[in-house]
Amino acid sequence: MQKNKKETAVSAAVIKRLPRYFRYLRMLLNENKLRVSSNELADMMNVTASQIRQDLNCFGGFGQQGYGYNVTYLYGKISEILGVNENYQAIIVGAGRLGQALASSPVFTKRGVEVCALFDKNPEIIGKEIDGRRILDISELKEFCNENLIDIAVLTLPSDHADEAAKLVASIGIKGIWNFTSKEISASDYPGVTVQSVHMGDSLMMLCYDLRSKDE
């Protein structure tokens, strides 16, 4: 999708909220709701109606005074902004329990991303199929990516191999890294590559902190 000038100026905070709009609008579609007001959406998302209007106005508004938002249209526009319609192709590097669980999850297909294959170096699992996707030897990764247009590499391998894997996928030309390792991978080390890191341990520790704080 070609970004316009207005979209490129949108703050990171607004962009971070867009996936929530995507999720709640999909819920409304599943309920066959045709339109929604900013107040109704605000109640669902536990934010203010003003915040919703401000966020959506960054991309053109999409609403009509006295009517609200057409749910199907707004969902389509948010999907377009988030790249859901781009048919991105992904591979998973590290086919252990986490890698296999992600491959079996609907998280990718619901967001327009297709997982094409998994890669590992463990001979005990190479050749195994996970939801119709084969686990290939890591030595085949470069050839596979040269033959297939892969946009995203999902790293779920041990952290001590994260830098090596990131360097490999970046050298092949993969432009997106979804990092599930505890190793910090800096996009500045790989020009032209976008990195998003998911630190599940950090999130769990914040939950534990909140629980302890309430107990005190």
Side-chain angles (χ1 to χ4, degrees):
M1 179 186 68
Q2 185 71 30
K3 292 184 178 181
N4 57 42
K5 291 182 180 179
K6 189 169 187 178
E7 188 173 325
T8 57
V10 176
S11 72
V14 174
I15 297 296
K16 192 173 181 179
R17 286 191 286 270
L18 288 181
R20 293 194 70 212
Y21 291 114
F22 177 84
R23 284 191 288 112
Y24 281 97
L25 288 166
R26 187 174 63 213
M27 288 170 54
L28 291 172
L29 283 177
N30 290 337
E31 295 169 1
N32 296 316
K33 184 145 187 176
L34 299 179
R35 67 173 178 166
V36 63
S37 69
S38 55
N39 287 323
E40 290 173 314
L41 198 53
D43 288 342
M44 291 176 64
M45 297 178 59
N46 197 28
V47 296
T48 66
S50 175
Q51 180 70 76
I52 288 175
R53 289 192 293 269
Q54 288 177 28
D55 286 352
L56 297 181
N57 280 339
C58 292
F59 303 94
F62 310 127
Q64 299 177 27
Q65 191 170 3
Y67 177 87
Y69 299 100
N70 180 301
V71 175
T72 302
Y73 177 74
L74 183 57
Y75 178 78
K77 297 304 290 186
I78 297 294
S79 297
E80 180 183 345
I81 293 166
L82 289 172
V84 174
N85 307 319
E86 297 296 320
N87 298 313
Y88 289 126
Q89 308 290 297
I91 57 171
I92 295 177
V93 184
R97 291 179 180 176
L98 177 56
Q100 292 185 33
L102 283 173
S104 301
S105 167
V107 66
F108 292 99
T109 55
K110 284 184 176 181
R111 289 155 181 84
V113 177
E114 180 184 356
V115 176
C116 302
L118 297 86
F119 293 86
D120 208 282
K121 66 176 183 179
N122 183 354
E124 295 183 3
I125 62 173
I126 291 171
K128 181 179 178 181
E129 286 199 359
I130 307 297
D131 271 12
R133 306 173 184 94
R134 288 191 65 204
I135 300 177
L136 305 175
D137 192 296
I138 192 70
S139 64
E140 300 177 62
L141 189 149
K142 185 173 182 178
E143 181 182 357
F144 181 91
C145 292
N146 285 337
E147 294 176 353
N148 299 273
L149 297 176
I150 302 300
D151 306 288
I152 299 169
V154 184
L155 304 187
T156 57
L157 69 174
S159 297
D160 52 350
H161 296 295
D163 281 334
E164 180 184 356
K167 186 179 296 184
L168 173 61
V169 299
S171 70
I172 292 169
I174 292 175
K175 299 301 183 183
I177 294 175
W178 200 18
N179 174 34
F180 279 83
T181 76
S182 58
K183 177 73 175 181
E184 294 290 342
I185 297 175
S186 175
S188 62
D189 294 333
Y190 308 100
V193 177
T194 298
V195 179
Q196 283 287 337
S197 295
V198 180
H199 297 296
M200 292 186 289
D202 291 5
S203 179
L204 176 60
M205 292 180 73
M206 290 307 300
L207 174 62
C208 293
Y209 170 83
D210 287 343
L211 290 172
R212 184 184 67 81
S213 299
K214 288 179 180 179
D215 287 343
E216 290 180 351

